[in-house]
Amino acid sequence: MKIFISDLVLLGQDPVSNVRVLKENGFNDIEIMMDGAFWDNSQEERFELVQELKKFEVNYTVHPPAWDINLTSETKYIRDASFQAYADAIEFAGWLGASHVVIHPGFTFAPEFDKKVAIKHAKESIIELCELANHANVKLAIENVGYNGTSILTIEEYVEFLKEVPEEAGYLIDVGHAQLNGWDIASVIRQTSSRLIALHLHDNDGQGDLHLPIGKGVIEWEVIFHELRDLNLEISYILEYGQNTSLEYLKTGQERLKNELSWKLI
């Protein structure tokens, strides 16, 4: 459908400034990341922020805090705080008119932690968040997260994860994370295609979550593009490049996507 640009590339700066910079560089579809000190604001201040962001007349998606929160933490205090962070992000997205909110189902950071229990916590929280998403008129995009043993879901479990979850939730496949976990990326796209909302697109060296530009790592992009052309999906493509990456790489990535998938973009 559209090519979004994550403002991860400008992480740590004022979100209004980030959107202004991206808009001035020709990007009209933006994913806002809610990380950093600029998000330590009250509900009233956040509503005022929405009014400023709406002035740019761009399309938005919303990524809640990616660091420090965990819906599947072994500690209930952390699970509850994480749930509230997502609830606040859904409210913010509704005010902003965003199309979806990214949801990380959680992580297990020690081998002693039971992944089955973690999956149960994640699913229960996401079902509750679906009710809030329904009221806010936004979708929840459930992302595959974690690598080096921290992911709570195998590829098979990820594909099955939303079977008992309301339709307010769909899949967001992070191609970089899938690569790090050794997933067959084209296969998981195909298997989740009926509820696929978006892709996070970035590259890596197969060892770390580097968020490199497309083509600067080891991911076999031609296989992925072939699958996407074959499926002809109405989804969003989100370039999620790392902090301080040159904006020229975003422009190059956008052009490559247009060339590879031009017949399906609007």
Side-chain angles (χ1 to χ4, degrees), residues 7-20:
D7 76 338
L8 171 63
V9 70
L10 301 169
L11 185 68
Q13 302 180 49
D14 181 346
V16 173
S17 172
N18 289 354
V19 174
R20 180 179 294 109

Side-chain angles (χ1 to χ4, degrees), residues 20 31 42 75 115 201:
R20 180 179 294 109
E31 181 159 282
S42 66
T75 305
K115 291 185 185 291
L201 302 172

Side-chain angles (χ1 to χ4, degrees), residues 93-166:
W95 291 343
L96 192 58
S99 57
H100 74 249
V101 177
V102 179
I103 302 293
H104 288 181
F107 310 86
T108 53
F109 292 109
E112 293 79 12
F113 297 162
D114 190 329
K115 291 185 185 291
K116 298 300 182 186
V117 173
I119 293 170
K120 177 176 178 290
H121 285 316
K123 188 167 289 187
E124 289 172 348
S125 293
I126 289 169
I127 288 171
E128 286 189 58
L129 291 171
C130 281
E131 295 182 26
L132 303 180
N134 181 41
H135 291 301
N137 195 32
V138 297
K139 286 282 192 178
L140 301 184
I142 313 304
E143 181 179 357
N144 57 303
V145 292
Y147 64 101
N148 289 343
T150 64
S151 176
I152 68 171
L153 299 165
T154 64
I155 185 171
E156 294 82 10
E157 289 167 337
Y158 181 70
V159 168
E160 297 289 319
F161 186 70
L162 295 185
K163 282 200 169 179
E164 299 173 357
V165 176

Side-chain angles (χ1 to χ4, degrees), residues 10-227:
L10 301 169
L11 185 68
Q13 302 180 49
D14 181 346
V16 173
S17 172
N18 289 354
V19 174
R20 180 179 294 109
V21 168
L22 293 174
K23 174 78 172 180
E24 288 173 351
N25 278 271
F27 303 120
N28 296 307
D29 304 285
I30 297 171
E31 181 159 282
I32 297 285
M33 288 202 72
M34 298 176 67
D35 274 290
F38 287 99
W39 295 96
D40 289 345
N41 45 25
S42 66
Q43 185 182 52
E44 181 179 348
E45 290 169 330
R46 193 164 289 186
F47 187 76
E48 292 173 357
L49 172 61
V50 165
Q51 308 315 307
E52 291 299 310
L53 292 173
K54 281 186 172 182
K55 292 178 182 178
F56 292 103
E57 298 183 346
V58 302
N59 300 303
Y60 289 108
T61 62
V62 170
H63 197 311
W67 288 272
D68 302 326
I69 66 173
N70 185 6
L71 282 175
T72 63
S73 171
E74 291 287 300
T75 305
K76 187 175 185 300
Y77 294 117
I78 304 301
R79 292 200 304 274
D80 290 347
S82 300
F83 182 92
Q84 188 59 53
Y86 281 123
D88 291 347
I90 291 168
E91 180 181 59
F92 173 76
W95 291 343
L96 192 58
S99 57
H100 74 249
V101 177
V102 179
I103 302 293
H104 288 181
F107 310 86
T108 53
F109 292 109
E112 293 79 12
F113 297 162
D114 190 329
K115 291 185 185 291
K116 298 300 182 186
V117 173
I119 293 170
K120 177 176 178 290
H121 285 316
K123 188 167 289 187
E124 289 172 348
S125 293
I126 289 169
I127 288 171
E128 286 189 58
L129 291 171
C130 281
E131 295 182 26
L132 303 180
N134 181 41
H135 291 301
N137 195 32
V138 297
K139 286 282 192 178
L140 301 184
I142 313 304
E143 181 179 357
N144 57 303
V145 292
Y147 64 101
N148 289 343
T150 64
S151 176
I152 68 171
L153 299 165
T154 64
I155 185 171
E156 294 82 10
E157 289 167 337
Y158 181 70
V159 168
E160 297 289 319
F161 186 70
L162 295 185
K163 282 200 169 179
E164 299 173 357
V165 176
E167 290 296 324
E168 283 81 12
Y171 291 102
L172 185 156
I173 296 174
D174 186 296
V175 171
H177 299 163
Q179 174 71 24
L180 292 172
N181 281 311
W183 288 10
D184 182 332
I185 299 170
S187 176
V188 74
I189 290 172
R190 183 168 58 254
Q191 291 182 75
T192 60
S193 59
S194 64
R195 290 181 72 171
L196 188 60
I197 292 174
L199 299 177
H200 272 162
L201 302 172
H202 53 93
D203 217 325
N204 60 62
D205 62 357
Q207 302 298 317
D209 192 20
L210 302 178
H211 286 259
L212 300 174
I214 289 174
K216 296 297 182 180
V218 299
I219 293 175
E220 297 180 2
W221 290 100
E222 292 304 327
V223 176
I224 297 169
F225 292 142
H226 181 274
E227 188 68 33

